[in-house]
Amino acid sequence: MNMDLDWIINHHGEERQRYFGAVAPPVLQSSIFTFPDVAAMRAAATHEFDAPFYTRGSNPTVHMLRQKLAALEGAEECLVFASGAAAIAAAVIACVAAGDHVVCVQKPYAWTRALLADLLARFGIAHSFVDAREPGQIEAALTPRTRLIVLESPNSLTFEVQDLAAIAALARPRGILTLCDNSHASPLNQSPLALGIDLVAHSATKYLNGHSDVVAGALCGSRALLERVFHGPFMTLGAIPGPHDAALLLRGLRTLKLRMQRVAETTPRIAAHLATHPRVARVWFAHAPDHPQRALVERQMRAPSGLISFALKDADGAVIERFCNALQRFLLAVSWGGYESLVCPLVAFLPAGAPLIQQPGRAPPQLIRLSIGLEDAEVLIADLDQAFDRAFACVGTPC
């Protein structure tokens, strides 16, 4: 069957005839599965990648989700994890060994950085963080021991983009695997596997779920690579989602197309408003008309998602805090991709009153990230404007 997007979201993998014709997928909340005889038990034990045996390995509700996510990414297989960090960690651990070297984008997700710089470095796995906006910068960082390139395109704070096809083309002849975190774009807006990338990871907590009530991760790729992950870190570390989480994700996927269409319409309007606001010093938005990698963005991505970052003009940490505290329609929280709009200032991760000092290879500490949800653009713009007014009302005078 030619699986269009609507088919994947609404029907693929559900096998309703097995479940009394139920239109909603059943939640098979069982840790174990029984067998009619030893031969059947043996068969399931030796094919646990596909067959229900023990829910740490395979569960029918989770398997439905795996099939849908694989189809959305155009992959042979998918594994689902208890978090996006678990998915990335399992992928990296399955691809490297002591003495190997990993090249990673310069400003990755914080727990990807911690995985490479703190955890795996203890076990003799070297790494290089590289400004990967030009493929040549990746190539220059390769060594004879490089086994994996870790990408985020765009990354999740300042939205640098990597040329996935070009990086895959330089990695594959050298026998180097490539992993791309696709959480920012979602499978609807970018297809790394079609560009030659080997493994695609998601924080399924974000757009795939879309309702801020599940923490989960996903890893998509070839069956051979996913079986390597499954029989290694997936089964050994056991960072799996439960069937209830899988069922919530299945429900969240029903509205994925509509939610991504909504944020694709709203987010550019808010980014354009910020870009012309007198209180804004700089805006980071992957689909901005003046993005320095505009041609690559248009070639590689189908539509915008809901992330925007910006910095206030002539603002110290106190002004940034007043601005964020004054927002009424943006909730102060980490993450993104839910129905609600969020604001996340990097000063929240610094001691109160700490100087805002730029560190090499890190996002500016003045950065404020917005995740645009499903509210009307006019409502969100009005909220930003009143917060600007309140934040700067006290500048130069007692507040």
Side-chain angles (χ1 to χ4, degrees):
M1 179 178 294
N2 180 21
M3 290 192 293
D4 57 80
L5 178 60
D6 294 322
W7 174 269
I8 294 169
I9 287 173
N10 291 320
H11 306 297
H12 179 56
E14 303 211 12
E15 300 182 273
R16 293 188 177 98
Q17 71 280 4
R18 296 181 60 189
Y19 306 109
F20 310 102
V23 70
V27 182
L28 293 168
Q29 188 64 42
S30 182
S31 60
I32 57 174
F33 300 88
T34 64
F35 304 94
D37 51 45
V38 172
M41 187 177 187
R42 181 183 296 112
T46 54
H47 297 90
E48 199 170 355
F49 185 85
D50 301 298
F53 180 77
Y54 183 58
T55 279
R56 178 164 53 87
S58 184
N59 172 281
T61 307
V62 177
H63 192 73
M64 291 184 209
L65 177 62
R66 288 173 53 188
Q67 290 178 275
K68 285 187 186 292
L69 296 180
L72 287 173
E73 277 292 359
E76 288 182 349
E77 292 289 352
C78 172
L79 289 173
V80 186
F81 295 79
S83 69
I88 291 170
V92 173
I93 291 168
C95 293
V96 297
D100 289 346
H101 174 248
V102 178
V103 174
C104 180
V105 291
Q106 191 173 61
K107 290 179 276 188
Y109 175 54
W111 293 108
T112 301
R113 174 181 288 276
L115 171 72
L116 297 172
D118 300 334
L119 180 61
L120 295 186
R122 293 164 46 199
F123 299 96
I125 298 168
H127 64 274
S128 300
F129 293 118
V130 177
D131 181 348
R133 286 173 287 183
E134 293 295 334
Q137 294 166 313
I138 290 276
E139 188 169 20
L142 301 179
T143 77
R145 298 297 301 167
T146 304
R147 296 292 178 265
L148 179 67
I149 299 171
V150 179
L151 307 169
E152 288 181 21
S153 190
N155 80 355
S156 61
L157 288 173
T158 50
F159 316 133
E160 287 88 0
V161 179
Q162 300 102 57
D163 188 331
L164 300 182
I167 293 170
L170 68 88
R172 194 157 280 183
R174 293 172 167 87
I176 299 170
L177 293 171
T178 49
L179 165 66
C180 181
D181 185 335
N182 200 27
S183 303
H184 179 133
S186 88
L188 272 61
N189 291 338
Q190 184 170 258
S191 301
L193 295 176
L195 297 172
I197 298 298
D198 295 301
L199 290 166
V200 174
H202 284 275
S203 172
T205 310
K206 298 176 173 66
Y207 289 123
L208 295 178
N209 177 51
H211 292 79
S212 299
D213 54 6
V214 171
V215 175
L219 185 67
C220 300
S222 69
R223 184 177 178 94
L225 279 176
L226 268 293
E227 285 193 343
R228 184 198 299 187
V229 175
F230 180 83
H231 293 296
F234 182 85
M235 290 294 285
T236 303
L237 301 178
I240 63 161
H244 274 283
D245 285 344
L248 286 172
L249 273 158
L250 286 165
R251 185 168 67 172
L253 286 179
R254 307 297 193 199
T255 59
L256 177 63
K257 179 179 176 182
L258 298 175
R259 290 185 284 106
M260 297 311 295
Q261 289 172 343
R262 175 70 167 180
V263 298
E265 294 166 0
T266 304
T267 308
R269 294 179 58 188
I270 295 168
H273 181 76
L274 290 170
T276 58
H277 198 283
R279 294 297 189 185
V280 174
R282 180 176 179 184
V283 175
W284 292 267
F285 177 50
H287 281 78
D290 60 349
H291 191 285
Q293 297 173 281
R294 179 68 181 178
L296 176 59
V297 169
E298 291 182 341
R299 183 170 75 246
Q300 195 163 273
M301 299 172 65
R302 290 182 281 274
S305 63
L307 290 180
I308 309 167
S309 294
F310 65 100
L312 299 177
K313 191 177 294 181
D314 301 322
D316 58 14
V319 173
I320 294 170
E321 288 194 35
R322 283 202 301 272
F323 171 79
C324 294
N325 291 342
L327 290 167
Q328 299 170 5
R329 301 301 183 99
F330 290 85
L331 305 177
L332 268 164
V334 296
S335 196
W336 74 84
Y339 60 88
E340 74 288 1
S341 291
L342 304 175
V343 57
C344 182
L346 294 195
V347 295
F349 303 95
L350 299 173
L356 305 183
I357 300 171
Q358 175 71 61
Q359 297 183 32
R362 301 292 185 101
Q366 299 89 349
L367 184 144
I368 302 168
R369 188 182 69 189
L370 302 179
S371 170
I372 306 305
L374 304 183
E375 301 92 341
D376 289 338
E378 294 81 4
V379 169
L380 298 178
I381 288 170
D383 191 34
L384 291 166
D385 285 349
Q386 65 83 25
F388 285 129
D389 292 342
R390 292 176 65 182
F392 284 92
C394 302
V395 174
T397 62
C399 199

